[in-house]
Amino acid sequence: MGIQEINPVIDEFISLCERTKEPVNLPVRLLDEVKQIDANSLSKEDRSRVLKCVAFFSIHPDPDTSRDSIAYVVDGIEERPSELDYLISELKPMLLGFGSKKKQSGTSQPGLNPKLGYSFDEDENKRKWQENGGLMSIALFYTVLLTMKNERVSVNLNWIIPGIMNLLDDTTDLVNIKLNGVLLLKTFVTHCFDVSGTADSKWITFNQTGMFGMVEPILVNMCYFLPPSHNNSDVILESVYDCLIALYRRNFDLPVMKRYLGDTLLSKVILQYTIPKIGIKYENVLEYIIETTTRIVKLLGKESVLYMQRIIYVFGECVVRDPFVTTLKNREIIPNVIGMLETLVDVCPCDRVQQHRLDFLALVVILYQKYDTEGGVDAALLQRLQSFLAQLKHEGCDLTEPCEELVKAHPGLSVLLQ
């Protein structure tokens, strides 16, 4: 491609990108052409503007487009680190802000003053910001955080923290603004600090930013964005849960991280509220909650024993014993429940597992009887239930006597228990 052909393509690409209001409308048709152009053949100004425009594709709905664009920008900044300064200088004026508050003047009067209450000015500012292409700043913000090294963090906190907080505080657009604030927070937590995160590091740690106390309550509150009040709750929870786990890992040492993970996310959010509320009515959400519970149990290890009884009870009452459990369309849910129980048994001390052997046995028998009554137990489910019973026996659970009594009372259980 000759130099006379390069400039029109670059000019059209930059022009279209800078006029675009939302990532989904970006000119993907030109992206591949632009990325194939040798950056060294461009002027410094064009290189920088191209890098900025490609960065807008970082949160594009198409995963391949997003991934390739991020790689292009990362490579560009690694080759020319000064490009990061350019991206930051372009980003700052685009950040969501509410303007300076007018100073109050005059003597305050006693009594109620409605002007001090909630105002729609902030929501109006956000609406204008969004209409003027403010969503594009999120993509640029995301790319900057992905490429920012720990030594650059402290001098940029003055715009990073307000920039993320303004998105997390949004009440106008859950998907495009608030959830993207969660994405930025997770990116900041996981990419901008030393892996060790130790207090003796020569660079600032996440804990030292003081952000934890501001963002953790927001994330926990978002864990209650459940159906039917919120659509796509599985997408919301996946984003929020992942961010919370990353937040706890980065902000605390291992023992404290486990305590927050268990007491807040597992116990308070999942077991106390989410599972009892959704039951089996919202299968996509339930599937993700089961997967997350399994993940948390693995992270907690033997300390999962603190929550074992509640896990058994809540999943037993709200899922296994539900009268309509056999009508689940998602055939992965019940095997995933069994897999979660297998993980729980695997990580917890044998003596505590043995104390709950009858509870585990009850879950197995109830599942078998429900499916047997409603049309039969398929071979895969039967094998999975029997495998779990074998695991219990391997952990030292003596099930001989209770199994014999159950078979006497219900001969049909012999297929499962003998």
Side-chain angles (χ1 to χ4, degrees):
M1 183 179 288
I3 189 69
Q4 68 275 13
E5 298 176 290
I6 291 176
N7 287 337
V9 172
I10 293 297
D11 289 344
E12 182 183 6
F13 177 71
I14 293 174
S15 176
L16 289 174
C17 286
E18 293 183 344
R19 293 202 309 267
T20 300
K21 305 297 184 182
E22 297 186 14
V24 70
N25 296 324
L26 284 163
V28 179
R29 64 182 180 84
L30 288 174
L31 180 62
D32 289 336
E33 291 184 50
V34 169
K35 289 193 296 186
Q36 290 171 9
I37 296 174
D38 183 4
N40 293 321
S41 66
L42 304 176
S43 67
K44 183 180 185 303
E45 180 182 359
D46 280 349
R47 281 202 309 266
S48 298
R49 294 178 71 191
V50 165
L51 206 64
K52 168 190 168 183
C53 290
V54 174
F56 288 151
F57 290 81
S58 64
I59 58 172
H60 193 276
D62 177 58
D64 291 336
T65 300
S66 171
R67 183 179 59 252
D68 293 345
S69 300
I70 291 170
Y72 180 89
V73 177
V74 170
D75 290 344
I77 291 177
E78 286 181 351
E79 290 179 10
R80 290 176 285 272
S82 62
E83 295 288 4
L84 180 59
D85 294 320
Y86 170 78
L87 295 183
I88 292 174
S89 69
E90 291 290 297
L91 170 61
K92 287 182 181 180
M94 299 172 66
L95 293 175
L96 172 59
F98 309 128
S100 58
K101 296 181 179 179
K102 294 180 180 179
K103 294 183 180 180
Q104 295 183 9
S105 61
T107 305
S108 61
Q109 299 296 323
L112 296 176
N113 184 352
K115 293 182 180 179
L116 297 178
Y118 180 80
S119 170
F120 287 100
D121 289 345
E122 292 184 1
D123 284 353
E124 179 63 16
N125 286 338
K126 291 174 187 176
R127 184 187 65 78
K128 291 180 179 178
W129 169 83
Q130 191 168 356
E131 289 179 352
N132 292 327
L135 291 178
M136 305 302 291
S137 69
I138 297 175
L140 186 55
F141 201 159
Y142 177 53
T143 310
V144 166
L145 292 178
L146 282 174
T147 55
M148 183 177 290
K149 303 302 182 183
N150 193 189
E151 61 268 22
R152 302 288 302 272
V153 171
S154 58
V155 296
N156 287 289
L157 285 177
N158 62 328
W159 61 265
I160 292 176
I161 294 178
I164 293 175
M165 292 303 302
N166 283 337
L167 298 175
L168 289 176
D169 286 336
D170 181 73
T171 59
T172 63
D173 191 333
L174 172 60
V175 174
N176 292 315
I177 299 181
K178 198 176 186 77
L179 272 187
N180 276 324
V182 175
L183 171 65
L184 293 182
L185 175 60
K186 182 188 174 186
T187 306
F188 182 54
V189 167
T190 55
H191 285 82
C192 296
F193 299 91
D194 288 336
V195 175
S196 62
T198 55
D200 59 351
S201 170
K202 64 179 180 177
W203 307 119
I204 189 172
T205 64
F206 176 75
N207 180 275
Q208 292 169 335
T209 66
M211 285 188 71
F212 180 84
M214 296 186 289
V215 299
E216 200 250 2
I218 297 174
L219 294 176
V220 171
N221 183 63
M222 291 181 71
C223 293
Y224 302 117
F225 287 6
L226 299 174
S229 301
H230 297 276
N231 297 325
N232 301 319
S233 287
D234 52 333
V235 176
I236 298 171
L237 295 184
E238 182 174 356
S239 176
V240 175
Y241 281 14
D242 284 351
C243 188
L244 260 179
I245 293 172
L247 190 70
Y248 293 149
R249 276 178 152 170
R250 180 67 74 211
N251 199 67
F252 302 115
D253 58 20
L254 188 59
V256 180
M257 181 277 286
K258 288 185 176 182
R259 189 175 75 240
Y260 268 85
L261 194 59
D263 291 350
T264 301
L265 186 53
L266 177 58
S267 181
K268 179 181 176 182
V269 172
I270 293 177
L271 298 178
Q272 181 177 325
Y273 185 83
T274 306
I275 292 295
K277 181 173 177 60
I278 66 170
I280 66 169
K281 291 180 290 186
Y282 306 98
E283 297 185 17
N284 288 343
V285 179
L286 177 59
E287 182 180 27
Y288 178 70
I289 294 296
I290 295 168
E291 292 172 357
T292 301
T293 302
T294 305
R295 179 184 174 190
I296 293 174
V297 167
K298 289 179 179 178
L299 289 172
L300 293 178
K302 64 180 181 180
E303 293 174 34
S304 300
V305 71
L306 298 172
Y307 314 98
M308 179 162 57
Q309 185 172 357
R310 289 196 64 201
I311 290 173
I312 295 171
Y313 175 79
V314 171
F315 278 94
E317 286 293 313
C318 301
V319 180
V320 173
R321 292 190 62 195
D322 190 289
F324 302 102
V325 68
T326 57
T327 66
L328 286 168
K329 295 179 181 179
N330 187 335
R331 295 300 179 184
E332 296 301 315
I333 287 179
I334 294 304
N336 286 350
V337 170
I338 299 171
M340 182 265 295
L341 295 174
E342 289 171 341
T343 302
L344 187 64
V345 168
D346 184 54
V347 302
C348 289
C350 293
D351 59 330
R352 294 298 300 275
V353 171
Q354 292 164 14
Q355 292 175 16
H356 289 281
R357 67 190 187 283
L358 297 182
D359 297 321
F360 287 120
L361 177 61
L363 294 176
V364 170
V365 171
I366 290 170
L367 279 173
Y368 179 85
Q369 287 185 318
K370 280 182 176 290
Y371 278 90
D372 188 47
T373 303
E374 296 292 333
V377 181
D378 62 52
L381 178 58
L382 176 61
Q383 190 277 329
R384 196 68 188 270
L385 293 172
Q386 290 176 329
S387 175
F388 181 51
L389 289 175
Q391 181 187 12
L392 291 173
K393 293 175 182 177
H394 183 266
E395 295 294 324
C397 298
D398 185 2
L399 301 174
T400 304
E401 183 177 343
C403 285
E404 289 176 351
E405 292 179 1
L406 284 169
V407 171
K408 278 184 183 180
H410 308 277
L413 291 174
S414 60
V415 177
L416 171 69
L417 302 178
Q418 290 185 350

